[in-house]
Amino acid sequence: MDLMKFKGVDNAVKMTIRLSIGYCIILTIAFVTCIIYQTIQLNEAYSQALVIDKNGEVYTSSGMPASSMRKYEYMNHVKTFVGKWYAFDENTYEKNIVSALNLIGNRGKELLNEYNDVNMLNSLVQKNIRYGITIDDIVIDMNTIPVTGKILFTQTGYRARGKVSRKVEAEFTIYDVSRSEDNAHGAKIEDWIVHYSAPMEYAKEDNYNTEPEKQNRHEN
């Protein structure tokens, strides 16, 4: 009789232990699930911000992956370089070239030698020329190592008697460097390979002659 009681107590203790272990497992799973859920919620909260304008309107602002942000920095970096290296006059030439050289690697020395070979500054002064550019397209490929890209723009030289334009296509690589006052994007261009189209010249009087024709077409 006593043996049967002890056996019954032993089974009850074992059952209690099993139930306790089961409860502990369930509580652990619930705790981990709660932690994961809270982490996801916090990440979503950190990735968004509420913006309130001066009129009291509330907007949701979402975050963006760092790689995507870097792509736009690369784009702006290349556009800045093109704007300084290919657009200038006799007054801005030296300043633009010095600034642009901070944005490009060793290839910049070769490009500078090309300008020096044609005595660019004296040409600007003697011929009274100024250059401007228009960005047509730019592509950055973040999936290559190093990052590669291509930019298409139009360079126009303005003179007293008219203007000359040419399409320019440049292929390049770009890599990261330390940010500085002279290089806020922390990047440098390399392997700048340029292709030029045939120049198109527009005489000043031709511009005047074609203008009335354009107006007549709009009026009709």
Side-chain angles (χ1 to χ4, degrees):
M1 186 71 175
D2 291 339
L3 292 176
M4 295 298 296
K5 287 183 179 179
F6 282 120
K7 187 174 182 181
V9 171
D10 184 57
N11 291 336
V13 170
K14 290 181 179 179
M15 180 61 69
T16 302
I17 293 174
R18 292 192 187 99
L19 290 175
S20 298
I21 293 173
Y23 290 145
C24 288
I25 293 174
I26 293 173
L27 290 174
T28 301
I29 293 173
F31 179 75
V32 172
T33 302
C34 182
I35 292 297
I36 293 174
Y37 176 77
Q38 291 294 333
T39 301
I40 294 173
Q41 292 295 103
L42 286 173
N43 288 335
E44 290 180 355
Y46 283 134
S47 66
Q48 295 184 341
L50 294 179
V51 179
I52 304 176
D53 64 15
K54 62 182 181 180
N55 296 322
E57 296 291 337
V58 180
Y59 305 92
T60 300
S61 176
S62 299
M64 183 177 292
S67 59
S68 298
M69 291 295 294
R70 194 58 175 152
K71 179 179 180 179
Y72 296 126
E73 286 188 326
Y74 287 153
M75 285 183 173
N76 190 263
H77 184 88
V78 176
K79 289 180 181 179
T80 301
F81 171 77
V82 169
K84 292 181 179 296
W85 195 264
Y86 294 95
F88 44 72
D89 57 22
E90 61 181 278
N91 298 315
T92 60
Y93 172 75
E94 293 181 328
K95 180 180 178 182
N96 279 15
I97 294 304
V98 170
S99 179
L101 286 173
N102 291 312
L103 309 179
I104 191 169
N106 293 327
R107 181 74 172 104
K109 298 177 182 178
E110 300 174 8
L111 295 175
L112 181 60
N113 288 336
E114 294 176 6
Y115 276 167
N116 291 337
D117 289 343
V118 298
N119 209 348
M120 178 61 75
L121 182 55
N122 283 342
S123 178
L124 295 171
V125 175
Q126 294 174 4
K127 299 179 181 179
N128 192 25
I129 302 176
R130 67 178 177 87
Y131 289 101
I133 60 103
T134 302
I135 304 293
D136 299 316
D137 191 25
I138 182 170
V139 177
I140 299 290
D141 188 352
M142 300 292 290
N143 296 319
T144 58
I145 300 176
V147 174
T148 57
K150 179 186 297 185
I151 186 169
L152 179 66
F153 59 96
T154 303
Q155 184 186 39
T156 304
Y158 299 91
R159 296 177 290 184
R161 65 174 182 269
K163 63 181 181 179
V164 178
S165 294
R166 63 179 178 178
K167 293 288 186 181
V168 184
E169 181 180 310
E171 301 173 10
F172 56 88
T173 60
I174 189 166
Y175 59 94
D176 295 334
V177 297
S178 299
R179 296 178 189 265
S180 65
E181 183 178 355
D182 296 324
N183 190 336
H185 295 116
K188 279 202 173 183
I189 300 165
E190 200 55 81
D191 300 326
W192 187 259
I193 303 172
V194 190
H195 308 280
Y196 300 100
S197 71
M200 298 290 292
E201 187 167 356
Y202 305 90
K204 192 172 183 179
E205 52 191 30
D206 288 344
N207 293 334
Y208 292 148
N209 290 336
T210 57
E211 191 62 30
E213 295 178 4
K214 293 180 180 178
Q215 293 176 356
N216 291 336
R217 284 199 296 269
H218 289 307
E219 290 173 358
N220 293 335

